[in-house]
Amino acid sequence: QVQLVQSGAEVKKPGASVKVSCKASGYSFTDNSLTWVRQAPGQGLEWMGWINTYNGMTDYAQNLQGRVTLTTDTSTNTAYMELRSLVSDDTAVYFCAREAHSGYDYLPSWGQGTLVTVSS
Amino acid sequence: DVQMTQSPSSLSASVGDRVTITCRASLGIRNYLAWYQQKPGKVPKLLIYAASSLQSGVPSRFSGSGSGTDFTLTISSLQPEDVATYYCQKYNSAPQTFGQGTKVELK
């Protein structure tokens, strides 16, 4: 079955960077795009960006442009989300989610989430 | 960018009640609308896609309707396990914006 397994919780200082991984299994990795979503404590879901795992095309939320980079390693079926210049407002649970198809689509499968805490 | 606005932001209902949540897009998105359920501390779960298609395994008391700018999620008979926050999401193009969420509680 489809599984997305994310890396473990991280604690970072303001100004640092974090890189969260999302390892996919149970399907052909390049057949479906991946989306990253974050959720600050007690808040709603925020769409961060999208990557086409076949050709590497990306789209990013405007408020994160320049600080976030989505990449994939097709040799290990793993996607990565790197966020730089962290501030306390970046404290959140970060989710990867598989799109239903290769383009923009709904999200039937989600990773378990990775808590990133930004604190001095 | 297209904004997604849900209402109400929270509601309280009794077991067996019919519950309706609305989601409005600031521009037309045809039927590229999904609904998710998120219980506290859990991963979001897809309920409805293409505005009205029920995801496999989701109870039939959940239904969706709408097209263009106005959408509705209905729970025909609220159950205790339906206590959660519900989010709509547009997915026709980037950014694939979520609504702000509707928290459903038991009265």
Side-chain angles (χ1 to χ4, degrees), chain B residues 2 10 32 41 58 71 80 86 93 104:
Chain B
V2 177
S10 66
Y32 293 98
V58 174
F71 302 88
Y86 294 83
S93 63
V104 174

Side-chain angles (χ1 to χ4, degrees), chain A residues 3-51:
Chain A
Q3 270 200 307
L4 299 172
V5 179
Q6 299 182 220
S7 48
E10 304 260 15
V11 179
K12 296 291 183 181
K13 293 193 183 304
S17 298
V18 68
K19 194 169 187 177
V20 177
S21 68
C22 171
K23 184 169 177 59
S25 61
Y27 71 99
S28 179
F29 184 67
T30 54
D31 281 355
N32 303 77
S33 300
L34 284 171
T35 281
W36 288 82
V37 175
R38 71 178 179 177
Q39 186 170 38
Q43 302 301 308
L45 302 174
E46 179 187 8
W47 183 85
M48 297 180 66
W50 167 95
I51 184 164

